[in-house]
Amino acid sequence: MHLRDIHIYPLKSASGVRVDHASIEPWGLDGDRRWAVIGDDGANLWLGEFPRMLSVTARNLAHGGLSLTAPGLPDLVVPPATGESVPVGFTGLDRAVTADEAAHAWFSELLGRPARLVWLDDPRRRTIDPKHGGLPGEVVSFAWDAPLLLTSASSLRLLDEWISAGAVQRGEEPPGPLAMARFRPNVVVEGAEPYEEDGWTEVRIGDVEFRMSEICDRCAVTTIDPDTWVKGKEPIRTLARHRRWDGKTWFGVRLVPRTPGKISVGDPIVPLART
């Protein structure tokens, strides 16, 4: 088994950036989900409600700022956030630092409603929710419930087979393979058995060790086509047939780093403990 892909999401809910290597911090990949977009009430303006967030490509800049591109909008360079600290509606976090007014205006135009760009100045301020497997002292960025999400290429291939078989049963033309981007992973493993990752409790990627905090429950975000931003029925419809328990559908696992370090595409992946 080896590490096939690494993806960083500088801006929560925006498209990911594929990289060849990344540093692992206690809160996840260095540069992952330190920025987010909120409304006037501090609530996260997330991808499930605003699919056009997927049209945004955000890249971290060496000086601490952010570059933004999206169809129909001018490119924007956001300087490091030095604004006021404002209330935000993220579990385990009470406040974040605002970016400049140009960034707020850019996202307000993109989403067609008042919006603000905020920066998580210190990820050590946000703890992982114990309801999602967090242990005392574990921290996370603006990511949902864990520092990293791992998915498996073989698991997606089997899901594609299930989707195609279901289409044939309904008398429909089988669709093409789903893009792994729908599941928004940080790391993708190649060479595992389908859904083998469900049973890992500890795993090493390269020289970095992780514990699995929980299997990842999936929401309607996975039904958004990353290229067209249009919602469909898959993969939730098929996951509900094959991967449903406890009232939820499941794909991928959430990881918490045990040690810092660096990971690179091609690194071996070794399960250290299993259920």
Side-chain angles (χ1 to χ4, degrees):
M1 287 184 285
H2 66 275
L3 181 56
R4 192 188 76 176
D5 298 307
I6 305 171
H7 299 274
I8 291 177
Y9 305 85
L11 171 65
K12 183 176 178 65
S13 288
S15 60
V17 177
R18 187 174 178 177
V19 297
D20 292 329
H21 50 80
S23 296
I24 303 295
E25 305 290 352
W27 49 86
L29 300 182
D30 184 28
D32 187 63
R33 294 178 174 96
R34 293 290 294 274
W35 300 85
V37 181
I38 62 171
D40 284 342
D41 59 355
N44 173 35
L45 301 186
W46 72 299
L47 175 56
E49 185 179 1
F50 298 96
R52 203 180 172 205
M53 285 292 295
L54 270 181
S55 72
V56 178
T57 298
R59 296 183 182 274
N60 293 310
L61 299 176
H63 68 281
L66 191 70
S67 73
L68 297 170
T69 62
L73 288 176
D75 295 352
L76 182 68
V77 172
V78 181
T82 57
E84 62 178 330
S85 176
V86 298
V88 293
F90 290 86
T91 302
L93 182 71
D94 57 350
R95 306 184 74 84
V97 178
T98 56
D100 65 1
E101 290 297 328
H104 304 335
W106 197 89
F107 280 103
S108 296
E109 182 176 354
L110 176 84
L111 301 179
R113 58 158 293 165
R116 292 179 291 174
L117 179 65
V118 294
W119 161 257
L120 179 53
D121 54 311
D122 186 354
R124 292 169 295 184
R125 294 197 294 111
R126 188 182 183 214
T127 56
I128 301 174
D129 191 341
K131 295 179 181 178
H132 290 281
L135 299 178
E138 292 182 335
V139 294
V140 65
S141 65
F142 277 133
W144 276 118
D145 298 306
L148 281 86
L149 174 65
L150 177 147
T151 61
S152 165
S154 63
S155 298
L156 180 56
R157 285 192 288 267
L158 180 54
L159 176 56
D160 284 330
E161 292 177 11
W162 290 337
I163 291 172
S164 293
V168 170
Q169 290 175 359
R170 294 187 298 272
E172 301 169 359
E173 184 72 20
L178 293 179
M180 186 66 86
R182 287 177 180 257
F183 299 95
R184 304 181 64 76
N186 291 113
V187 291
V188 180
V189 57
E190 183 66 84
E193 292 297 316
Y195 300 103
E196 175 186 347
E197 65 275 13
D198 289 0
W200 299 345
T201 56
E202 296 183 12
V203 64
R204 184 172 61 237
I205 303 176
D207 295 325
V208 184
E209 296 184 4
F210 301 84
R211 77 172 186 90
M212 195 262 275
S213 55
E214 62 178 352
I215 304 176
C216 184
D217 55 308
R218 309 312 310 215
C219 67
V221 163
T222 59
T223 67
I224 302 172
D225 186 306
D227 296 320
T228 65
W229 325 316
V230 175
K231 289 184 179 181
K233 294 182 179 179
E234 298 294 358
I236 294 298
R237 173 170 58 183
T238 298
L239 285 174
R241 288 186 61 187
H242 297 273
R243 300 273 302 167
R244 183 179 175 85
W245 60 85
D246 295 336
K248 299 178 181 179
T249 59
W250 308 87
F251 188 92
V253 297
R254 294 176 172 130
L255 301 179
V256 180
R258 286 195 179 277
T259 57
K262 293 185 177 181
I263 59 173
S264 299
V265 169
D267 278 350
I269 295 179
V270 181
L272 303 176
R274 306 172 190 260
T275 55

